Amino acid sequence: MADCLSFRSTGYFSDLISDYIEQNQDLKPFYNRFPSIDSFKDQITEKQKGYDNDNRKVLVEVLKEQYQTLSSSEDTKSHIESLQEPSTFTVTTGHQLNLFTGPLYFLYKIVSTLNLAKSLKENYPDFNFVPVYWMATEDHDFEEINYFNFQQKKLEWKTNAEGAVGHLSTAGLDELSKSIETEFGKSDNAEYLKNLFKEAYLNHETLAEATQFLANELFGDYGLVILDADDARLKSKFGKQIKNDLVYHTAFRQIEKQSDKLSKLGYSVQVNPREINLFYLHEKTRSRIVQKDENYYVLDTDLKFTKAEVLELVDQHPERFSPNVVLRPLYQEVILPNLAYIGGGGELAYWLELKSYFEAEQVTFPSLVLRNSVLLYSDKTSSKLNTLNAKIQDLFLSPDKLEAMHTKKLSKIDIDFGKQKQVLEKQFEDLYELAKNTDKSFYGAVAAQEKKQKNGLDHLEKRLLKAQKRRLKSENELVLKIQTVLFPKRSLQERSLNFSEIYIDYGARLIPKLMEELDPFQMKFLCLELTIYNKKH
């Protein structure tokens, strides 16, 4: 069973994203085409004209090399081969190399991408559509990815990390694997997860290889193609744009204008560009490149280049130039025959700053698809809510508002004094008629008295609500306890829980169920009930 809410009504999404989903006219200049099945016809045509098909050969060469050690499905192999054809396009999501996938929404991103590719194939059978997971192997924010949560515990990988996270050695993760042995328990589903963790992290040398294996194990049967774009051959195809950033600061000039326009519309700016949006990436170094006078420097190092030297380095070693958050989207769209980017609210917010930059670089701007968001809850939880006369949608309220609403639902006394206020207003209508025939001071006295009596009713209503809350304390506590479980730390479940916590109970049915229920064109927040069982030894 599934219920849907608008993203705005959940209270967990920004006005910018809610307005985008609702196609607010003010935002139209900030994107290319709003994602609908029909709009992809023109998106395909535009990308066909703007994409350099010479990039396909390099892309396929790199992918085949990266898949040499993986056991890939026939669908994935077919997708990689098809990328050589001008009639093949990609739909892409990107994500950090979070330990054991990190928060639940990792799954939702990829399922949204898989289902979008499937839907496009059904509607445009003359073309092929490849779902791509772009691994953020060049990030260096280790503290953001070195843990996952399981049953309110933080399972953390402690190591000294330097440089790009994709290069990190997995040595030392055997200690965390031992902790997982205890935490996950001994059910069949737990044994599968423990073995999956070991195979991914103890049998692969780097975090990039481990993450690729893990994503392939979970989604390879659906034809997912996983790409590590930290490759000299791919970056050589991005050399022109790297040089534009170094010399002309194209991103900085264009994105600042867009950001100012968004700010004037009342929206918060997600990212701020720098004059140079590149890092120097080599061995264990990933440090910002800055320009001073006519020279280029790598921060926190002794490296220094003249303009001629840095431009020659782009030609000789393009792999040493790592795009930051505002340049990475352009890199993706240059090397992939991509039609759409599937991301979360925060990601789409910064993509909305980028359109004029893409235009300046003459690169097709992709359709921006908000990934599916889901609240998963068990049939047992559903039964408890029914017993308590509560709905799953009620739990999106703040605890105070939830308790007030639930009290009013359960109370045998009508706590709403709306009728009394209507009677009061009717009584004062006669007094206002009388006041019209007297002076202004009397009219003011009537208005003041009405306000005083309405305030009195409001006060009594609050007192009555407070009294009923005390009487219904135990029932309210049950509802609030369910809310606390489903909204850990008063945040969305998908931003905190790891998939393992759901998989322990639901097992191998989890991903097929998500594939069945998640529709990237629905653009609603999904509340999905799961029937739970847990088979133990």
Side-chain angles (χ1 to χ4, degrees):
M1 295 180 64
D3 291 298
C4 293
L5 297 84
S6 71
F7 282 103
R8 191 183 297 278
S9 68
T10 67
Y12 285 95
F13 291 82
S14 68
D15 286 339
L16 176 60
I17 293 306
S18 297
D19 287 347
Y20 174 69
I21 291 300
E22 295 163 11
Q23 299 184 62
N24 184 307
Q25 292 294 314
D26 289 341
L27 288 175
K28 284 209 167 183
F30 298 92
Y31 59 89
N32 196 4
R33 294 178 184 88
F34 190 79
S36 68
I37 278 293
D38 292 339
S39 73
F40 275 95
K41 181 180 180 180
D42 290 335
Q43 192 70 23
I44 290 168
T45 301
E46 185 179 349
K47 190 67 181 183
Q48 271 181 323
K49 292 177 181 177
Y51 181 67
D52 184 353
N53 282 311
D54 289 343
N55 292 358
R56 291 181 182 275
K57 184 180 178 181
V58 176
L59 179 61
V60 171
E61 178 186 321
V62 170
L63 283 167
K64 284 184 175 179
E65 187 177 294
Q66 292 180 359
Y67 268 84
Q68 281 182 353
T69 59
L70 285 180
S71 176
S72 51
S73 69
E74 290 304 314
D75 282 349
T76 295
K77 290 175 183 175
S78 174
H79 278 154
I80 292 172
E81 288 291 342
S82 75
L83 282 167
Q84 297 179 89
E85 303 299 324
S87 58
T88 298
F89 299 91
T90 62
V91 291
T92 303
T93 193
H95 197 67
Q96 295 171 296
L97 307 189
N98 293 73
L99 190 65
F100 213 42
T101 76
L104 260 174
Y105 66 77
F106 173 81
L107 268 64
Y108 306 155
K109 271 186 166 183
I110 293 183
V111 171
S112 298
T113 306
L114 293 167
N115 281 342
L116 179 58
K118 181 181 175 184
S119 182
L120 289 173
K121 182 62 178 175
E122 289 169 355
N123 286 273
Y124 299 96
D126 293 338
F127 300 95
N128 297 312
F129 303 93
V130 177
V132 172
Y133 162 38
W134 177 293
M135 296 196 299
T137 55
E138 297 179 45
D139 282 3
H140 61 265
D141 294 320
F142 182 66
E143 290 75 16
E144 291 184 4
I145 66 164
N146 70 331
Y147 70 95
F148 66 95
N149 297 316
F150 182 79
Q151 294 181 352
Q152 299 181 339
K153 288 186 179 180
K154 185 177 182 179
L155 301 179
E156 188 175 3
W157 176 21
K158 296 179 180 179
T159 188
N160 294 321
E162 294 179 296
V165 295
H167 301 173
L168 288 178
S169 168
T170 54
L173 273 166
D174 51 337
E175 287 300 314
L176 184 57
S177 183
K178 291 174 185 176
S179 299
I180 287 170
E181 284 283 343
T182 304
E183 296 295 339
F184 279 12
K186 296 185 178 296
S187 68
D188 289 347
N189 293 336
E191 292 301 322
Y192 167 76
L193 290 172
K194 288 187 281 188
N195 288 329
L196 181 62
F197 186 92
K198 287 177 184 175
E199 286 184 51
Y201 294 100
L202 306 190
N203 295 341
H204 293 87
E205 291 185 2
T206 67
L207 185 57
E209 292 170 358
T211 305
Q212 184 192 34
F213 172 85
L214 181 59
N216 186 63
E217 285 295 302
L218 293 174
F219 295 104
D221 287 346
Y222 296 97
L224 181 69
V225 172
I226 303 154
L227 175 64
D228 179 358
D230 182 8
D231 187 281
R233 290 161 293 181
L234 292 174
K235 286 188 177 176
S236 68
K237 297 294 184 180
F238 192 56
K240 174 187 170 185
Q241 291 80 13
I242 291 174
K243 290 177 181 179
N244 284 347
D245 193 67
L246 289 167
V247 177
Y248 302 113
H249 312 315
T250 311
F252 178 73
R253 290 187 291 103
Q254 294 296 332
I255 297 171
E256 269 213 327
K257 292 176 188 174
Q258 291 289 87
S259 300
D260 287 344
K261 290 175 183 176
L262 281 169
S263 294
K264 287 174 182 175
L265 289 171
Y267 299 115
S268 297
V269 172
Q270 190 72 14
V271 293
N272 292 297
R274 301 182 186 277
E275 286 193 351
I276 294 176
N277 295 280
L278 293 158
F279 291 88
Y280 182 83
L281 179 63
H282 188 49
E283 296 177 346
K284 291 186 177 182
T285 297
R286 188 178 188 256
S287 297
R288 278 181 53 211
I289 300 171
V290 296
Q291 184 179 13
K292 295 178 184 176
D293 301 321
E294 295 299 314
N295 294 316
Y296 294 82
Y297 299 81
V298 179
L299 293 182
D300 305 318
T301 75
D302 296 327
L303 293 170
K304 172 186 172 183
F305 307 97
T306 65
K307 179 180 175 181
E309 287 170 340
V310 81
L311 294 180
E312 183 182 0
L313 192 64
V314 174
D315 293 329
Q316 297 299 319
H317 291 286
E319 74 279 6
R320 296 188 187 178
F321 294 85
S322 178
N324 73 357
V325 67
V326 299
L327 220 61
R328 188 203 69 79
L330 189 76
Y331 178 38
Q332 170 190 296
E333 299 302 314
V334 166
I335 67 171
L336 293 179
N338 197 49
L339 300 175
Y341 183 76
I342 298 90
E347 289 176 286
L348 263 55
Y350 73 72
W351 274 86
L352 289 168
E353 298 177 46
L354 304 180
K355 184 168 176 279
S356 67
Y357 173 43
F358 273 68
E359 290 169 348
E361 292 285 4
Q362 297 181 312
V363 176
T364 301
F365 196 71
S367 287
L368 302 179
V369 181
L370 184 64
R371 66 164 173 82
N372 291 106
S373 282
V374 189
L375 173 64
L376 300 175
Y377 62 104
S378 70
D379 50 340
K380 293 178 182 177
T381 297
S382 180
S383 179
K384 289 178 183 177
L385 288 171
N386 287 335
T387 301
L388 294 165
N389 192 26
K391 296 179 180 179
I392 192 71
Q393 294 94 327
D394 299 344
L395 304 184
F396 286 83
L397 295 169
S398 68
D400 288 344
K401 289 181 179 178
L402 174 61
E403 186 179 13
M405 187 183 78
H406 195 241
T407 299
K408 290 176 181 178
K409 270 188 183 181
L410 296 181
S411 176
K412 294 179 181 178
I413 301 170
D414 188 0
I415 300 174
D416 186 353
F417 281 12
K419 290 179 182 177
Q420 289 85 345
K421 289 174 185 175
Q422 286 177 357
V423 170
L424 186 66
E425 287 170 359
K426 184 66 179 172
Q427 290 175 341
F428 272 89
E429 281 178 13
D430 296 336
L431 285 171
Y432 279 121
E433 285 297 319
L434 180 62
K436 286 179 183 178
N437 299 318
T438 61
D439 60 26
K440 289 183 180 179
S441 64
F442 183 72
Y443 192 94
V446 171
Q449 188 63 29
E450 181 189 24
K451 185 178 180 181
K452 182 178 179 181
Q453 293 198 30
K454 280 185 175 179
N455 287 342
L457 284 174
D458 286 339
H459 179 69
L460 288 173
E461 187 177 310
K462 288 175 183 176
R463 289 286 299 271
L464 180 58
L465 176 61
K466 194 173 181 180
Q468 289 300 94
K469 279 182 181 179
R470 287 196 294 269
R471 290 191 62 186
L472 297 166
K473 183 179 178 182
S474 58
E475 290 91 336
N476 282 333
E477 283 178 345
L478 290 172
V479 172
L480 291 169
K481 185 177 179 181
I482 293 172
Q483 184 189 49
T484 300
V485 171
L486 293 182
F487 291 79
K489 298 178 182 177
R490 296 191 182 181
S491 184
L492 289 176
Q493 175 196 71
E494 63 182 32
R495 297 176 186 170
S496 178
L497 261 65
N498 180 259
F499 86 100
S500 58
E501 196 161 334
I502 307 295
Y503 197 100
I504 290 285
D505 290 327
Y506 204 67
R509 299 171 298 154
L510 176 60
I511 290 175
K513 182 66 173 175
L514 294 175
M515 289 293 296
E516 177 187 337
E517 296 288 349
L518 271 57
D519 177 2
F521 289 112
Q522 187 178 54
M523 299 188 193
K524 298 273 188 178
F525 193 103
L526 187 69
C527 299
L528 184 60
E529 180 184 322
L530 302 177
T531 303
I532 299 295
Y533 67 85
N534 190 5
K535 185 178 178 183
K536 295 184 178 180
H537 288 295

